[in-house]
Amino acid sequence: HPERYSVPKRKSILLAGVAFNLGLLAYFKYADFFLENLNLVLGVDFPMLNLILPLAISFFTFQQIAYLVDSYKTETREYDFLNYCLFVTFFPQLIAGPIVHHREMMPQFQRVRNAFINWSNVATGMFIFALGLFKKVAIADSFSVWANSGYAAADQLTFFSAWATSLSYTFQLYYDFSGYSDMAIGAALMFNIRLPINFNSPYKARNIQDFWRRWHITLSRWLRDYIYIPLGGSKRGNILTYRNVLATFLLGGLWHGAGWNFIIWGGLHGVALVIFQFWSRLRIALPGLMSWFLTFMFVNATWVFFRATTLDDAIYVLKGMVGISGVDVSPTLRPLVDNLDSMLGIGLAIDPAGFQLPWLALGYIFVFGAAAFFLPNGIQMIHFLPYGGRLGFRPRLLFAAFVGFSLFYSVVAAIQNAPSEFLYFNF
């Protein structure tokens, strides 16, 4: 019970606990990154440790730090060790989020009626789980084929193939993470536990701030509450606010992975948020469609740094996307592009051999891109409100058929295809 201790003693315990958690995370996740850069800067040759990253360490570390900080502030009221262990290791969200808060979970674990089967929750949870599983197996894993092949040959990409590669990964990550979020919510709901919504159609966002209110919502909340606000938030003038935003997103990028590409990705999003805040103060509104288009194009371009294994690969893909590496067209489209080039005098560097566009990939991008942009997400489909709200879902034959088909398809795909992990397992 933290209120029994003086503030200095509580602070000492807090600092020791946070240092211990961050120390473990730094050792397992960032030791090789540090050694690699140390070797590069000093010209030495320290051997890499090649440590295996403990399962879900990034996620449960953040949850434990949040609990420590709230305990220091005497905001926690649940101290049962068994429930605390359940809070940290609850399996539906352990691997890739959402990053849950103790005040969301502890009361649910204590609720007596949650110990009994609720068939409405089972049916709703099964539907959400099956929807997420279908997103992962049928959609995300299909996009992964084209994304992986494109990034494996990043130095050979030209205009259309670079765009097909970047968009394939953009939608692979979307449906992969959306699928996991749905599966986590669905699995937890079958145990009468309601997890917070972590994914809310982020590609519908009309500005970068809105994007981060929709993408990995619980991570954004954690960064805001435990980094941005402690740094001073927006209470100390515009310049310090911009500094706090940049620092928060640089750390958020580093949290995703031990590499400069993740730091650059986080920094770019931090800069974009600073520009958005500055632009908002000018009170100049862009048309909704233009605002959405600019936001999506920025997110798509920055995902290149997120996905590429090296900075050189990221530059190759981006150069291809802007046409520096030439324009590739299929033989059937070659006359059309030649005529357009001669009319406009652009001087396109067209690949003489031609390039057969992956038409199936383009079809997936068009169909499932439109679904991400225009259709309601799974939570909206069933009117799922996580805290005290009603569940509008009602079991229907159509839903039952979808659940059966999704589970059958997934089992067959698991037997026939190579094992496929969720992308956020890497973080």
Side-chain angles (χ1 to χ4, degrees):
H1 294 265
E3 60 270 12
R4 296 179 181 176
Y5 299 94
S6 64
V7 172
K9 184 170 289 187
R10 290 210 308 269
K11 184 172 291 187
S12 298
I13 296 172
L14 170 66
L15 292 175
V18 171
F20 176 76
N21 279 280
L22 291 181
L24 286 178
L25 182 63
Y27 175 71
F28 283 104
K29 192 169 183 176
Y30 303 105
D32 281 350
F33 177 64
F34 174 77
L35 290 173
E36 181 182 353
N37 285 276
L38 195 64
N39 290 341
L40 183 64
V41 172
L42 300 181
V44 294
D45 190 23
F46 290 119
M48 297 295 105
L49 300 179
N50 297 318
L51 299 170
I52 297 175
L53 193 66
L55 196 65
I57 188 172
S58 296
F59 291 89
F60 68 69
T61 296
F62 271 22
Q63 287 183 198
Q64 292 181 143
I65 289 175
Y67 190 87
L68 283 168
V69 172
D70 291 350
S71 295
Y72 165 75
K73 297 178 179 177
T74 68
E75 294 178 359
T76 58
R77 292 293 178 267
E78 166 59 51
Y79 305 103
D80 180 82
F81 184 69
L82 183 61
N83 278 353
Y84 173 78
C85 291
L86 178 59
F87 157 68
V88 173
T89 61
F90 187 53
F91 79 92
Q93 48 76 222
L94 174 65
I95 307 300
I99 300 172
V100 294
H101 199 276
H102 63 87
R103 63 173 171 262
E104 298 167 331
M105 305 300 291
M106 296 295 200
Q108 297 192 72
F109 295 147
Q110 290 183 302
R111 205 166 292 149
V112 175
R113 67 174 180 270
N114 284 349
F116 299 93
I117 295 177
N118 183 319
W119 291 110
S120 176
N121 285 349
V122 171
T124 307
M126 183 64 74
F127 173 76
I128 302 173
F129 183 90
L131 179 62
L133 187 62
F134 184 81
K135 289 178 182 178
K136 166 62 178 171
V137 175
I139 305 176
D141 286 354
S142 297
F143 277 120
S144 72
V145 175
W146 304 304
N148 292 341
S149 62
Y151 277 97
D155 58 335
Q156 302 174 29
L157 298 177
T158 48
F159 184 76
F160 290 110
S161 56
W163 275 98
T165 297
S166 69
L167 288 172
S168 291
Y169 181 72
T170 290
F171 290 115
Q172 178 199 357
L173 184 59
Y174 177 92
Y175 283 102
D176 190 281
F177 192 32
S178 174
Y180 181 88
S181 299
D182 286 348
M183 292 173 70
I185 288 176
L189 191 59
M190 286 188 273
F191 291 91
N192 298 323
I193 301 298
R194 298 187 181 186
L195 296 177
I197 296 171
N198 201 35
F199 200 89
N200 185 22
S201 301
Y203 291 169
K204 295 178 182 179
R206 294 191 176 187
N207 58 65
I208 195 64
Q209 186 179 73
D210 187 30
F211 172 81
W212 279 103
R213 288 172 175 168
R214 294 168 173 265
W215 179 278
H216 211 329
I217 298 169
T218 57
L219 173 63
S220 299
R221 178 183 65 180
W222 195 97
L223 293 172
R224 179 198 66 199
D225 292 345
Y226 299 101
I227 296 180
Y228 177 69
I229 291 177
L231 285 174
S234 57
K235 297 180 179 179
R236 299 179 181 177
N238 294 340
I239 300 300
L240 291 180
T241 297
Y242 299 154
R243 181 208 66 180
N244 296 340
V245 170
L246 284 172
T248 299
F249 273 86
L250 285 171
L251 291 172
L254 186 61
W255 175 86
H256 279 86
W260 286 107
N261 53 326
F262 292 106
I263 296 174
I264 292 172
W265 171 79
L268 289 172
H269 275 267
V271 170
L273 275 164
V274 168
I275 293 173
F276 170 76
Q277 291 184 1
F278 177 78
W279 186 270
S280 298
R281 291 187 173 94
L282 298 178
R283 300 184 183 278
I284 302 175
L286 292 176
L289 183 60
M290 179 184 294
S291 181
W292 165 80
F293 180 77
L294 291 174
T295 301
F296 178 75
M297 287 295 103
F298 171 80
V299 169
N300 179 64
T302 53
W303 283 141
V304 173
F305 289 99
F306 196 84
R307 169 58 179 84
T309 54
T310 66
L311 292 180
D312 286 340
D313 285 347
I315 298 302
Y316 284 134
V317 175
L318 292 173
K319 286 171 65 176
M321 291 171 66
V322 298
I324 294 177
S325 301
V327 177
D328 47 0
V329 295
S330 66
T332 56
L333 295 179
R334 182 66 179 271
L336 177 64
V337 175
D338 284 338
N339 292 334
L340 181 64
D341 184 33
S342 61
M343 289 171 52
L344 301 179
I346 301 174
L348 297 174
I350 301 175
D351 181 3
F355 179 82
Q356 187 62 47
L357 288 172
W359 294 110
L360 182 60
L362 296 180
Y364 263 67
I365 290 170
F366 177 79
V367 172
F368 294 110
F373 298 146
F374 301 113
L375 294 183
N377 57 51
I379 303 302
Q380 292 170 328
M381 287 169 60
I382 62 168
H383 311 293
F384 178 68
L385 302 176
Y387 302 116
R390 66 183 183 85
L391 289 173
F393 176 84
R394 295 291 183 273
R396 296 180 177 88
L397 182 61
L398 179 63
F399 292 160
F402 170 77
V403 169
F405 168 77
S406 178
L407 296 178
F408 175 77
Y409 179 90
S410 301
V411 170
V412 172
I415 295 173
Q416 293 181 341
N417 302 331
S420 174
E421 66 180 16
F422 286 94
L423 294 176
Y424 261 75
F425 280 15
N426 298 317
F427 312 134

